[in-house]
Amino acid sequence: MQTHEISRRFREYFTDHGHTPVPSASLILEDPNLLFVNAGMVQFKPYFLGDAPAPWPRATSIQKCVRTGDIDEVGKTTRHNTFFQMAGNFSFGDYFKAQAIEHAWALLTNSQSEGGYGFDPDRLWATVYTDDDEALDLWKKIAGLPEERIQRRDGKDNYWDMGIPGPGGPCSEIYYDRGPEHGREGGPVADEDRYLEVWNLVFMQDVRGELSPKEGHKPIGSLPRRNIDTGMGIERVAALLQGVDNVYETDLVRPVIAKAEEMSGRRYGAGNPVDDVRFRVIADHARSGMMIIGDGVTPGNEARGYVLRRLLRRIVRSVRLLGVQEPVLGEFAAVVRDTMSPSYPELATDFPRIESIMRKEEETFLATLASGSRIFDLAADRLVDDGKATLPGDKAFQLHDTYGFPIDLTLEMAAERGLSVDETGFRELMAEQRARAKADAASRKTGHGDQSVYRELLAQGNTVFTGYEELTTEAKVIGLVRDGKRLSGAGEGEILEVILDRTPLYAEAGGQESDAGTITTASGAVLEVVDVQKIARKLWVHQVRVRSGEITEGAEVEARVDPEWRVGARQGHSGTHVVHAALRQVLGPTALQSGSYNKPGYLRLDFAWSGALSPETKSEIEEVSNLAVRQDLPVQVVYTDMGGAQELGAVALFGETYDETVRVVEIGGPWSRELCGGTHVEHSSQIGPISLLGESSVGSGSRRLEAYVGMDAMRYLAKERALVQNLAAMLKVPDVEVPARVEALVDRLRNAERELEKLRAGQLLSSAGTLAEQAEDVRGTALVALKVPDGIGGGDLRNLAVEVRNRLGARPGVVALFSAGDGGKVAFVVATTAAARDAGLAAGKLVPAFAPAIEARGGGKPDLAQGGGANAGGIGEAVTALRRALDGA
């Protein structure tokens, strides 16, 4: 059975049994505890936590997931995968253990002609939590499992929670016995290679505290409503139903390996386990990388971007180790697109952008490999010069961590030079880095604070947002909150949260700042609204400062948006859409927005792009944007479902979560169509002028445009005009001649600086003869060691040292020059004559003699060494230390 058919049957079974089908969420959700969505239940967390009422009593989804905790283990075994699909069925306070077990057992064991998967019931086992007698009895009653095929396991295996305070509950897992050829008998507790887990049922009923029941600690309470979260691993089921040994040989993964075989001429499963690991890394990471980029991540050096970069670079590394030197990521991307797009059609429609990002990252990494190779060669040369045969672990780690140079390529190149690598030292440093990363991730994890006060208010109904139609709304105060506690009232000067049943004030979302405004009562109380946020996307929470009077729960109020603020806010948000559309028109459809922020008069827009925009391109984007403003394009709003929005070609923002009914904002019809909940102008001309401030990098593969709109754009242009006029007056030329005159002045200044530099360098070198004449004899060696004038840079200092050395002639000689710089820094150069080197005096080996005195670092070859130190006050001591070292040589 093909993988796409496995997914279809799961979805249809649960839809037929009253579950609402929910599309997979993006891999990128705003969750402080997760880099990527790693389980099917993540998008439903607000419902399990009770932070919001579930829109349906039961749901089903096929969720794309990425787990990256063991990237380095991928490929070494056939059980580790970074990308996988989790088929899930969920109950939000509806059915519980019995029906969950009934559904799982029926779908697994029903014949394929009846829509099931046709697993042999006699080969299925179940596990239950240590003391879950109820689940054990249900397995016997519903599935007819004999007790010897139901095993109890402790919390580490059969208790689920999110790793932080919040919901949890016992698990029950279903395993398939693959037969004695795959391992020993005895059920899952004996061998999880033979007995393969295919389904996990979580009976979510507990609230865990700081200490997890996984470690034997008791829950601190019970959830108000019991929930079901069950998941079936699509890839694992595919491996079983397709009769292959592991997921790498299934219909959606094996084609990537086949492409790697075609390109390398080597064969997977041909008896070379090292090659097999590389094939599996390529297959796994190609799918993961493609899916992650598809959801809006670009390679970078932090967080998600860094994980993506590691995945893509591991592919390139593995392919090179298979003997392929040419670029490959585009080829693998095409295979993943063809295999995965039946389930994820966006991979086909968005393929040009995805492939472009993968290709550019590969180009960057190939350049990194070239520079890393040069750094390795220098390190290897020094080892050979010093008569050593082992590359230190810290140098291998530096190559890996700083330059992105993989350790296995370091090992390979070292072997080619007849050298070894201190792998133990490297692994220790890697382990320290992982420990720091895990500690950092743990420090960012947060529990789910007490949201009960908002749950109480949500139970009274959602806040009705009226701000699309009006700026003033009559409303009722349904709750006053401070520090998570309900208040009956508050007086002048107090800061608190006010929840209304209706409001025209926009809550911060979609990159748009919240509205400014006021809330007033009939008795004369005035509350200044300083912020508006949404809880569970349903409840508007107004943070206010009571300016006068008193506010009480239940009071009738008037909520009013500051009209000037709203005018500017609409201009900023509509301007963002216009600039985005202009960007795509100029650069092409791959230049997709990846983030934005807008407020009255200002906008910024982040987008995926690998290089800086030329001045001509920025001018074109600005011109296209202002042409759209001048054309007075109509702005319309269409409400539809996600399928309808996709048919319209509406752009969805990466990482955003959308309701079943979505709002599409059109500017000029198809020219700009985006899913958006923000406030907008009625016609593009109301945006006013758009003036780009600049464009900059916000990480590898990501750029940022900033602009003023409306009156703020006018003020900015007025300042620019005044600046040009002032310059023209100072230079006594017309405005249009200012650029040429400034360019001429800059050229004259540069020429003058070059002439001064030549004079200074000449004067410096002219002193070489005098310095050589001052050489002192130290045990037959001519030593020139002294402090030269401050501020001489490394290049000039090196030239002077070499010239002094040349003046020493054929005698043994050592030249050591020091120059103090800013902040107590010091630069130094050591040069030796050929005769000195013949006598065993190597420049690089003399540095340690004086380095402690100036807190120096650096080194070099026998003839020349240079570096820097942090203690210029120790130069005198350094000269003495060098003299002493020569005297004792």
Side-chain angles (χ1 to χ4, degrees), residues 6 48 83 93 139 158 303 309 339 503 634 651 665 767 787 839 870:
I6 294 170
F48 289 131
F83 173 80
W139 280 114
N158 275 61
R309 171 160 284 167
T339 56
T503 183
V651 176
V665 175
S767 66
K787 179 179 181 292

Side-chain angles (χ1 to χ4, degrees), residues 491 493-496 526-530 543-548:
E494 293 190 68
I495 296 174
L496 69 154
V526 178
L527 287 67
E528 176 192 359
V529 178
V530 296
Q543 187 179 60
V544 304
R545 180 181 288 106
V546 182
R547 288 298 186 189
S548 62

Side-chain angles (χ1 to χ4, degrees), residues 575-597:
T576 305
H577 284 222
V578 166
V579 172
H580 187 205
L583 187 73
R584 288 165 57 89
Q585 180 175 318
V586 174
L587 298 182
T590 61
L592 275 177
Q593 177 180 328
S594 57
S596 68
Y597 170 73

Side-chain angles (χ1 to χ4, degrees), residues 382-395:
R382 287 175 184 160
L383 286 176
V384 173
D385 289 344
D386 292 343
K388 298 177 181 177
T390 301
L391 185 73
D394 60 347
K395 177 58 71 173

Side-chain angles (χ1 to χ4, degrees), residues 21 204 243 405 412 468 556 571 622 698 713 763 777 786 810 821 888:
M204 203 178 298
F405 206 65
E412 187 178 86
Y468 295 137
E556 300 291 335
Q571 290 176 319
E622 186 176 61
V698 286
Q763 289 176 341
D777 184 274
L786 50 85

Side-chain angles (χ1 to χ4, degrees), residues 549-568:
E550 184 180 1
I551 185 72
T552 58
E553 186 173 304
E556 300 291 335
V557 300
E558 180 183 87
R560 183 175 183 271
V561 179
D562 179 335
E564 284 300 315
W565 178 280
R566 176 62 72 83
V567 167

